[in-house]
Amino acid sequence: KDKKESIDGFVYHSPSRIEDKDDAEIDKLRRLEFRGTLDSNDDMFLDVKELRNYLNPKGNIFVQNEARHMMHEADANKDKVLSLEEVKASYLNFQHHEDNPVIQALHDEF
């Protein structure tokens, strides 16, 4: 209604997998992202302009988030370091990440 998103609303995520259900690390990273990158006027809310900047696939924030997501998915042992074996095992994910329907829809929209 007010066209603003709170930090709690931004941090909330529906689990995509069972083990993500209570992933405190994801919540922590999203809070840091909100405060450090997205909330440019420090009012603890994201307004329409800030959300557009976040979702714009031609902008740095979207590209960085897309890269982080692909690397997280490839990091099989979740040690936050990609080994050569993990990169080789996930090379199709890196080559064809634009096949993701959400990413494709955003690219088409902008």
Side-chain angles (χ1 to χ4, degrees), residues 1 5 13 15-16 24-25 29 33 37 43 50 55-56 61-62 69-71 75 77 86 88 98 102 110:
K1 293 179 183 179
E5 181 64 75
H13 63 281
S16 58
E25 185 175 339
L29 291 173
E33 179 180 33
T37 306
D43 67 351
E50 290 166 327
L55 294 173
N56 181 355
I61 294 171
F62 185 88
H69 175 75
M70 289 188 306
M71 292 176 72
D75 188 12
N77 62 5
E86 288 170 326
K88 286 180 179 179
E98 68 275 359
V102 174
F110 289 93

Side-chain angles (χ1 to χ4, degrees), residues 51-52 55-59 62 98 100-110:
L51 285 170
R52 280 192 182 128
L55 294 173
N56 181 355
K58 296 178 182 174
F62 185 88
E98 68 275 359
N100 178 318
V102 174
I103 292 170
Q104 186 62 48
L106 286 169
H107 279 285
D108 289 348
E109 184 67 26
F110 289 93

Side-chain angles (χ1 to χ4, degrees), residues 71 73-91 94:
M71 292 176 72
E73 291 296 313
D75 188 12
N77 62 5
K78 303 303 179 206
D79 66 352
K80 298 183 181 163
V81 176
L82 292 182
S83 67
L84 180 58
E85 291 77 21
E86 288 170 326
V87 172
K88 286 180 179 179
S90 298
Y91 79 95
F94 293 117

Side-chain angles (χ1 to χ4, degrees), residues 26-38:
I26 288 175
D27 291 354
K28 179 182 172 185
L29 291 173
R30 288 183 60 87
R31 285 183 186 282
L32 288 171
E33 179 180 33
F34 184 98
R35 298 287 311 271
T37 306
L38 304 176

